[in-house]
Amino acid sequence: MSPFLRPSWSRRHFKHKLHTPGCFVQQLSRERRGAPAPPHAPVSASLWRRLVVVEAKMAAQAAAAAQAAAAQAAQAEAAESWYLALLGFAEHFRTSSPPKIRLCVHCLQAVFPFKPPQRIEARTHLQLGSVLYHHTKNSEQARSHLEKAWLISQQITQFEDVKFEAASLLSELYCQENSVDAAKPLLRKAIQISQQTPYWHCRLLFQLAQLHTLEKDLVSACDLLGVGAEYARVVGSEYTRALFLLSKGMLLLMERKLQEVHPLLTLCGQIVENWQGNPIQKESLRVFFLVLQVTHYLDAGQVKSVKPCLKQLQQCIQTISTLHDDEILPSNPADLFHWLPKEHMCVLVYLVTVMHSMQAGYLEKAQKYTDKALMQLEKLKMLDCSPILSSFQVILLEHIIMCRLVTGHKATALQEISQVCQLCQQSPRLFSNHAAQLHTLLGLYCVSVNCMDNAEAQFTTALRLTNHQELWAFIVTNLASVYIREGNRHQEVLYSLLERINPDHSFPVSSHCLRAAAFYVRGLFSFFQGRYNEAKRFLRETLKMSNAEDLNRLTACSLVLLGHIFYVLGNHRESNNMVVPAMQLASKIPDMSVQLWSSALLRDLNKACGNAMDAHEAAQMHQNFSQQLLQDHIEACSLPEHNLITWTDGPPPVQFQAQNGPNTSLASLL
């Protein structure tokens, strides 16, 4: 609905009814009908004459009042006419294709020379501020109009919509100008005076909580969401109470306060199931609840355990897609909220499905859902500039980039890393939230093309930029593997890192997947040190953990490394028992590096066992994998984006210069 013609700005707010004393109205109506005056008690002639004079004066006064009232009504009607005419023109220009914002602003500014009443003045300042804020870069004028709207509206009773919308928009503008210290007291005051207006009170609480979240003050944000949940309960809105509690649960998950999360999610589940209301709102609450559960499992690295919740989530989003939006508004104004539009929820479910597929090693499935999600995002971004869509896009790209590196598509991965850089250039906040992940991806790319010094620099930069425990553990695990492959260059640093991610003693995070990966890295280190029995112990622990949660890629890596150990020890039969399933699993993922490694081992094993035909077949597979990887390696290193591997400080570089050719070796991959 148009911001100029929605109910809060409709004609009913501008009709100024003339209230005249009832006796005058009755007298005038009788005169118009020619009706006799009401009967009087008998009086003397002199008193009668005086009464006649008095009534004559009253009639004259009534006539004068009627003329004044008629003039005032005509003036009010004229005022309403010019105001509505200007408003109509403004709306016409705003909704033109393309919008004519300058003419829209001129029409609204033309209201002020008429010296309108305070209500119209405040509303017009709000409309001007809103148009300038949303459609121009003139933030100074937008701020001036919104500040006037906020100031004037506070002096007017029963003018909540304009008052609180002005406060909400003005605080948004302050945040955009990095004036957070101005936004906070404004929102607090609006919250304080909005307690009798449930919709605005809840909306402003959400807004202030979001502001604290963006500042990473999650404690204050959780406190506000708790206040909102209690307020919603008092005003009888279980739906909005659930929204507040689920939002608080999301922040508690971010803070890793799992002891508080579990009872909160249990309570939310009960509220969601018991609430009877709009089907779309109910299903959206269920999606929110299930998304939190799924991400909680994935953060814990429990890929197998999450499957029932993920299946429920996928069924839920299918149910929502079949429901039609109800135009009937909830009877409780506190229920006038939506968590996310249906289309955004669909993208989010695709996203968590990609996250699950990536962790589980179903990379073709991850690719399939990424393509669907990115296609949906492109359509949405044509009509919607919501920042959350860019966040979804970046997270999807981060996951698909890791898939590309595993499947041997480094050149494509590098171009997608460049795409993430471009998205981050458009939003400083997006870059701030994803800088560590971006450097981590560059580190993984450097490892894939054997640029180990650059990989070390990228991982070190990422560690400096993150305080997220799971990401920190992921980076340290990969950095340790870089140091292991480089031999004795970083022994002291390597021992320090391995001690900090020791899976046997006080592992820093609760992630099942990361702990299993830490066991693998310890096994890899022991293998390079020639301590084969110790390596086998660590790798068997990895296998045990990865099998328990269907971590297919870790399983494949552990099997092929165990096969290599048995081969070195001369136990060819046991080696074959490890390498064959590793090759099968790697083909299913598909993991190009493990396939290359497995085919080399199968070639050597079959040669040692005298199986010439099998050895030839394995050698041919190895040759094919080598050629594919080499071709992709050369293509990636020839791209101008390859220069990103040297970027370790500041915002992403805007332009790239082409490389003369690859300067790296494929030897480490063979």
Side-chain angles (χ1 to χ4, degrees):
M1 187 177 291
S2 158
F4 298 127
L5 300 178
R6 59 184 166 186
S8 60
W9 292 348
S10 60
R11 290 175 60 111
R12 62 189 175 87
H13 288 280
F14 307 117
K15 290 188 177 179
H16 306 288
K17 294 181 180 177
L18 181 65
H19 297 286
T20 55
C23 60
F24 289 164
V25 177
Q26 291 172 12
Q27 183 70 31
L28 288 169
S29 63
R30 278 193 297 271
E31 287 178 357
R32 288 197 183 103
R33 293 195 306 265
H40 296 279
V43 289
S44 64
S46 60
L47 182 56
W48 177 254
R49 284 194 297 271
R50 285 198 297 272
L51 284 172
V52 169
V53 172
V54 170
E55 287 203 4
K57 287 182 179 178
M58 288 178 66
Q61 290 171 354
Q67 289 176 353
Q72 191 174 350
Q75 186 178 0
E77 188 175 347
E80 182 178 296
S81 298
W82 64 256
Y83 174 62
L84 291 178
L86 287 172
L87 204 61
F89 278 124
E91 176 66 355
H92 167 73
F93 291 129
R94 190 189 71 84
T95 56
S96 297
S97 182
K100 300 175 181 177
I101 300 302
R102 185 174 60 84
L103 295 176
C104 171
V105 169
H106 285 333
C107 288
L108 292 172
Q109 287 173 332
V111 170
F112 299 122
F114 286 92
K115 300 190 183 305
Q118 273 194 321
R119 285 176 175 269
I120 292 180
E121 183 183 4
R123 193 182 299 280
T124 305
H125 279 302
L126 172 59
Q127 292 164 340
L128 273 166
S130 178
V131 169
L132 291 167
Y133 173 64
H134 289 115
H135 298 282
T136 75
K137 295 182 179 179
N138 197 337
S139 58
E140 187 176 341
Q141 279 195 29
R143 183 178 64 250
S144 173
H145 283 294
L146 290 172
E147 285 173 343
K148 288 175 183 175
W150 168 239
L151 182 65
I152 296 169
S153 62
Q154 289 180 79
Q155 303 166 18
I156 305 171
T157 58
Q158 297 182 345
F159 208 43
E160 283 74 13
D161 278 353
V162 168
K163 184 188 307 179
F164 298 128
E165 188 162 353
S168 177
L169 268 179
L170 185 55
S171 66
E172 277 186 35
L173 192 149
Y174 283 152
C175 290
Q176 192 181 75
E177 295 178 334
N178 295 319
S179 301
V180 177
D181 291 337
K184 286 180 185 175
L186 170 63
L187 284 172
R188 289 194 193 102
K189 182 173 182 181
I191 287 168
Q192 183 181 1
I193 62 178
S194 65
Q195 294 186 33
Q196 302 305 314
T197 314
Y199 166 74
W200 278 108
H201 191 66
C202 292
R203 177 169 162 178
L204 294 165
L205 281 167
F206 275 125
Q207 190 170 350
L208 185 55
Q210 183 181 21
L211 178 53
H212 282 298
T213 303
L214 292 174
E215 286 198 308
K216 303 192 187 316
D217 181 4
L218 301 187
V219 174
S220 298
C222 282
D223 289 343
L224 282 165
L225 293 170
V227 169
E230 179 58 22
Y231 176 83
R233 186 191 66 80
V234 169
V235 298
S237 174
E238 287 296 286
Y239 168 75
T240 302
R241 182 189 177 202
L243 280 180
F244 275 114
L245 290 174
L246 288 166
S247 301
K248 184 177 179 180
M250 180 173 63
L251 298 188
L252 291 173
L253 282 173
M254 290 168 64
E255 287 190 287
R256 299 297 179 265
K257 293 185 176 178
L258 302 184
Q259 290 183 343
E260 295 180 48
V261 168
H262 294 150
L264 185 65
L265 287 182
T266 301
L267 173 61
C268 288
Q270 293 169 354
I271 294 173
V272 171
E273 290 307 314
N274 294 333
W275 185 71
Q276 301 299 321
N278 184 305
I280 286 184
Q281 286 184 309
K282 185 178 179 71
E283 290 302 314
S284 72
L285 285 180
R286 188 175 281 121
V287 169
F288 195 172
F289 173 69
L290 289 169
V291 164
L292 292 186
Q293 283 199 314
V294 169
T295 52
H296 178 39
Y297 276 117
L298 292 178
D299 279 349
Q302 297 175 335
V303 175
K304 185 176 182 179
S305 304
V306 76
K307 286 183 179 179
C309 285
L310 183 58
K311 188 174 181 180
Q312 285 183 56
L313 177 59
Q314 291 165 343
Q315 290 171 343
C316 194
I317 201 66
Q318 287 177 352
T319 301
I320 284 185
S321 64
T322 63
L323 295 174
H324 297 288
D325 290 328
D326 255 340
E327 295 297 330
I328 301 172
L329 293 176
S331 57
N332 189 337
D335 286 345
L336 290 168
F337 293 98
H338 283 293
W339 174 50
L340 282 176
K342 282 196 299 186
E343 297 79 9
H344 292 197
M345 282 190 273
C346 288
V347 174
L348 181 57
V349 174
Y350 282 141
L351 174 54
V352 295
T353 304
V354 169
M355 292 167 66
H356 173 262
S357 301
M358 176 64 207
Q359 281 198 36
Y362 305 134
L363 302 192
E364 289 182 347
K365 185 177 179 183
Q367 175 68 61
K368 170 186 167 185
Y369 281 104
T370 299
D371 290 343
K372 286 186 175 182
L374 289 176
M375 191 181 302
Q376 182 79 0
L377 275 171
E378 288 303 317
K379 292 177 182 176
L380 290 173
K381 289 181 81 172
M382 291 178 186
L383 305 170
D384 186 350
C385 58
S386 173
I388 198 171
L389 296 179
S390 295
S391 296
F392 287 164
Q393 187 175 1
V394 167
I395 297 170
L396 280 163
L397 287 170
E398 287 170 355
H399 282 80
I400 201 58
I401 287 164
M402 289 188 283
C403 289
R404 308 269 196 218
L405 294 174
V406 172
T407 57
H409 298 92
K410 295 182 282 291
T412 306
L414 184 58
Q415 291 169 330
E416 287 167 338
I417 290 173
S418 174
Q419 191 179 345
V420 174
C421 289
Q422 291 169 20
L423 288 167
C424 288
Q425 285 167 0
Q426 298 166 16
S427 169
R429 181 169 289 155
L430 198 61
F431 175 64
S432 173
N433 291 336
H434 291 269
Q437 291 91 321
L438 192 47
H439 284 287
T440 302
L441 292 171
L442 281 169
L444 295 173
Y445 167 76
C446 291
V447 171
S448 74
V449 293
N450 198 31
C451 297
M452 293 303 174
D453 288 341
N454 297 105
E456 179 189 353
Q458 292 296 336
F459 287 140
T460 304
T461 302
L463 285 175
R464 175 170 49 84
L465 293 173
T466 189
N467 55 8
H468 188 278
Q469 285 187 321
E470 276 74 13
L471 180 58
W472 179 90
F474 178 80
I475 297 166
V476 168
T477 303
N478 282 280
L479 182 57
S481 71
V482 169
Y483 288 154
I484 290 169
R485 291 173 64 178
E486 288 194 297
N488 297 323
R489 284 182 57 192
H490 304 280
Q491 285 295 305
E492 289 185 12
V493 180
L494 175 58
Y495 279 112
S496 173
L497 289 180
L498 290 175
E499 190 56 38
R500 295 174 75 182
I501 56 168
N502 189 338
D504 285 323
H505 307 290
S506 61
F507 192 66
V509 294
S510 60
S511 171
H512 182 93
C513 180
L514 286 173
R515 189 162 175 263
F519 273 117
Y520 175 79
V521 170
R522 294 297 291 250
L524 185 67
F525 178 61
S526 298
F527 167 74
F528 274 90
Q529 294 287 310
R531 301 196 298 271
Y532 298 127
N533 287 333
E534 184 180 81
K536 285 191 286 184
R537 182 181 76 81
F538 285 128
L539 292 171
R540 282 171 179 149
E541 195 64 38
T542 304
L543 277 176
K544 177 179 157 187
M545 294 186 70
S546 57
N547 284 333
E549 286 294 341
D550 289 347
L551 304 172
N552 290 329
R553 187 157 184 260
L554 266 177
T555 300
C557 290
S558 301
L559 284 171
V560 74
L561 184 50
L562 274 169
H564 201 137
I565 291 171
F566 284 120
Y567 176 76
V568 171
L569 293 173
N571 190 340
H572 294 167
R573 182 178 177 182
E574 196 63 32
S575 177
N576 192 71
N577 290 341
M578 298 290 123
V579 177
V580 170
M583 185 65 168
Q584 292 170 345
L585 196 52
S587 302
K588 182 181 174 183
I589 291 172
D591 186 325
M592 188 67 78
S593 296
V594 174
Q595 285 177 293
L596 184 74
W597 191 355
S598 299
S599 60
L601 276 171
L602 285 172
R603 177 196 61 197
D604 296 341
L605 273 169
N606 284 301
K607 274 185 183 178
C609 296
N611 301 324
M613 289 186 63
D614 291 339
H616 178 74
E617 184 181 343
Q620 189 60 51
M621 281 196 299
H622 184 265
Q623 179 67 17
N624 292 339
F625 292 137
S626 298
Q627 287 300 318
Q628 289 178 45
L629 282 169
L630 182 59
Q631 185 177 354
D632 182 56
H633 181 94
I634 293 170
E635 183 184 351
C637 295
S638 301
L639 290 171
E641 290 87 352
H642 183 74
N643 281 310
L644 275 170
I645 67 174
T646 62
W647 163 60
T648 56
D649 191 35
V654 178
Q655 294 180 338
F656 312 100
Q657 293 182 349
Q659 290 274 326
N660 294 326
N663 55 3
T664 57
S665 167
L666 193 62
S668 65
L669 300 175
L670 305 179

